[in-house]
Amino acid sequence: MSHLLFVYGTLKRGFANHAGYLGEAEFLDLAVTCEPFPLVLNGPRFSPVLVDAQGKGLKVRGELFRVDSPTLDELDRLERVNERDGYRRRRLAIADPHGQVRAAWSYLKPPSWVDDVRSEPMAMYDDNRYRARPDA
């Protein structure tokens, strides 16, 4: 079974987690959330976090992939889904550059779990701290 997945942080192409988790996935297009959400840097590692606070923040730009069920299971482990400080996977309405709206899985955290915010909400994550190294 295949699933649509919207990524906004270190799983995007060119970032540290992409090759290991989505390197074999089918890239479909750039995408943006249909509703605003806070995308912030959180914690001492300045990790990108999409906060599950629909209607606040900005429409977030990211990438849309098609993934299989084993890949989605592996991503759930990476994002620590079902662990107290992990992410929650939920469907979001996203739009591609042509205006086509689709429902895609994404990873978000409840607002109460994001307690060390290190940035203002942003529309796109583009922090060099987690860019993939060319020799990696």
Side-chain angles (χ1 to χ4, degrees), residues 53-125:
Q54 186 172 326
K56 297 180 180 179
L58 303 165
K59 291 184 179 181
V60 175
R61 292 182 284 163
E63 299 175 346
L64 184 64
F65 289 87
R66 184 178 313 282
V67 299
D68 59 18
S69 293
T71 300
L72 199 59
D73 291 342
E74 189 66 24
L75 289 167
D76 284 354
R77 283 189 285 284
L78 170 70
E79 303 294 8
R80 298 183 331 276
V81 170
N82 295 327
E83 292 184 28
R84 167 58 181 94
D85 65 342
Y87 288 78
R88 298 295 173 252
R89 179 165 43 94
R90 69 172 272 213
R91 287 192 192 274
L92 301 180
I94 60 94
D96 68 21
H98 314 289
Q100 182 179 4
V101 175
R102 305 176 192 196
W105 290 114
S106 196
Y107 293 93
L108 300 87
K109 283 193 176 189
S112 63
W113 296 2
V114 184
D115 57 5
D116 189 10
V117 175
R118 308 267 177 129
S119 72
E120 294 295 319
M122 56 190 128
M124 183 177 76
Y125 175 76

Side-chain angles (χ1 to χ4, degrees), residues 18-76:
H18 176 77
Y21 292 92
L22 294 177
E24 301 298 316
E26 179 186 1
F27 171 76
L28 298 176
D29 214 330
L30 299 176
V32 64
T33 59
C34 292
E35 298 294 327
F37 286 89
L39 171 60
V40 297
L41 300 179
N42 189 63
R45 295 182 63 215
F46 293 84
S47 300
V49 174
L50 192 60
V51 182
D52 196 355
Q54 186 172 326
K56 297 180 180 179
L58 303 165
K59 291 184 179 181
V60 175
R61 292 182 284 163
E63 299 175 346
L64 184 64
F65 289 87
R66 184 178 313 282
V67 299
D68 59 18
S69 293
T71 300
L72 199 59
D73 291 342
E74 189 66 24
L75 289 167
D76 284 354

